[in-house]
Amino acid sequence: MSSSTSAVLVGSAALLVAAAAASSLYATADSTSTIKDIEDEFDESELITAEEVTKIFDRLFMEMQGVLAQLSQMVQQIQMSGQVIPEKQLRMMLKAEFERALTAKQTVILEEYDMDYDCLEEATWEFMEKEEEYPKVKKAVERFQKLWENVSGESVVGMRPGKEVKAEAFEILAPAKTVEAAEIYFDALTMAMKGLVEKFKEEGKDLNSPPVAQELHMKFASVANEAGEESLKSMGITQAQFQKSIEANASNPMVGRALAMLQMKQQQALMSMGVPQMG
């Protein structure tokens, strides 16, 4: 694995961020059933609500962020042992592990809600067809789609039944511009964590407590992607453009060294804040 790819895919779980409602969670996007069909079969008390759909996708997003953090540490350990993982192999490994964990977590969550997979799928697509009426559903689903998009490299954000997603067209950044964007991005993530750490300490929370540490990382996961995206916007760059530019410049020694230094700088900053590692 190249050092530049490692710095982005491993340096921070947030850098892996974005998800696959339409790809992994829902493989059958051609369903024509509607909520009205469900209403004809079930009592009103059994209907799936927009609030339930939102909560399910929010929970999946948060829990899969934790999975990515663990995968990040695993890849770091492999890298530190001196083993080289080609970029395509790394992507395939992350995707496979993500899908395996997603299937397990999805099963547990649906059992807790006493909910049928197919009914959740149908209800979700129905709410998404009326996204102006259900903005919270749209936000939760597309945030999860974006998580998958960053892990798999597939364009799924905005996917709907019968609707193809057009790949975003953009220019690959030059090596120097890529490094400049990475500096801004990493700084934004570090500042986002700093704000959370300060808040936790003000509330008297012990960061060395495992439950508190988990809460900290989960809250960071919920804000990091937006913080990173906003920082890139200041340069007129999208996250997809940034990630593709990192991959395109993966073999450039200057980019690799710069990203490795940024990764080290971020790790040192987190350690000085007292941020515990995800275990």
Side-chain angles (χ1 to χ4, degrees):
M1 176 175 55
S2 67
S3 59
S4 58
T5 300
S6 170
V8 171
L9 293 181
V10 177
S12 169
L15 230 50
L16 291 166
V17 175
S23 181
S24 282
L25 189 60
Y26 295 145
T28 55
D30 57 357
S31 173
T32 57
S33 299
T34 66
I35 287 181
K36 181 61 172 63
D37 297 325
I38 302 174
E39 289 174 349
D40 293 338
E41 298 180 20
F42 300 97
D43 294 334
E44 185 175 348
S45 61
E46 296 177 307
L47 293 180
I48 298 172
T49 67
E51 181 180 5
E52 288 174 326
V53 172
T54 301
K55 287 183 177 179
I56 288 172
F57 277 95
D58 281 345
R59 181 170 167 186
L60 282 171
F61 175 82
M62 298 299 289
E63 293 197 8
M64 292 312 296
Q65 286 280 12
V67 170
L68 289 177
Q70 294 172 352
L71 290 175
S72 171
Q73 287 192 345
M74 179 184 71
V75 176
Q76 276 185 313
Q77 291 171 356
I78 293 174
Q79 182 188 25
M80 291 175 65
S81 71
Q83 183 176 347
V84 177
I85 306 176
E87 182 179 328
K88 288 185 178 180
Q89 183 180 340
L90 173 60
R91 178 78 73 180
M92 289 175 62
M93 180 185 72
L94 290 172
K95 181 179 177 181
E97 289 298 315
F98 186 97
E99 289 178 330
R100 182 188 61 77
L102 175 60
T103 298
K105 291 184 178 297
Q106 172 188 311
T107 299
V108 171
I109 293 173
L110 289 178
E111 287 180 353
E112 289 182 9
Y113 277 84
D114 191 23
M115 193 177 292
D116 180 79
Y117 173 92
D118 292 331
C119 290
L120 172 62
E121 176 185 358
E122 292 165 358
T124 300
W125 289 132
E126 183 71 14
F127 290 131
M128 292 295 282
E129 287 177 0
K130 303 175 182 178
E131 58 185 47
E132 293 184 359
E133 296 181 33
Y134 303 102
K136 291 184 178 179
V137 172
K138 179 178 184 290
K139 180 180 180 180
V141 171
E142 291 192 346
R143 182 173 70 160
F144 189 61
Q145 287 178 324
K146 184 176 290 186
L147 182 63
W148 172 255
E149 194 169 278
N150 278 6
V151 172
S152 68
E154 302 171 5
S155 296
V156 297
V157 176
M159 183 179 286
R160 305 286 188 277
K163 176 183 176 182
E164 294 184 0
V165 179
K166 294 183 179 180
E168 180 183 350
F170 46 72
E171 179 183 357
I172 296 297
L173 302 174
K177 195 73 171 179
T178 299
V179 171
E180 182 184 353
E183 290 174 346
I184 292 176
Y185 192 92
F186 271 83
D187 284 346
L189 297 185
T190 302
M191 292 304 297
M193 177 61 88
K194 181 179 180 181
L196 289 174
V197 169
E198 290 176 348
K199 182 179 180 182
F200 271 49
K201 290 182 176 179
E202 288 175 359
E203 295 173 352
K205 294 182 178 179
D206 179 9
L207 299 183
N208 293 317
S209 167
V212 173
Q214 182 178 23
E215 180 187 1
L216 174 64
H217 282 283
M218 291 301 98
K219 283 187 177 297
F220 176 66
S222 70
V223 302
N225 197 52
E226 184 176 351
E229 286 186 340
E230 286 299 317
S231 69
L232 292 174
K233 284 181 181 179
S234 67
M235 295 181 63
I237 298 171
T238 66
Q239 179 136 336
Q241 183 181 15
F242 173 58
Q243 186 167 344
K244 291 297 183 183
S245 296
I246 289 289
E247 294 173 2
N249 289 295
S251 60
N252 186 297
M254 182 270 288
V255 174
R257 287 193 298 270
L259 290 175
M261 290 299 295
L262 287 172
Q263 180 183 2
M264 185 180 301
K265 178 183 175 183
Q266 184 186 60
Q267 290 175 340
Q268 292 174 343
L270 297 181
M271 288 178 61
S272 67
M273 294 178 203
V275 176
Q277 290 188 352
M278 287 287 287

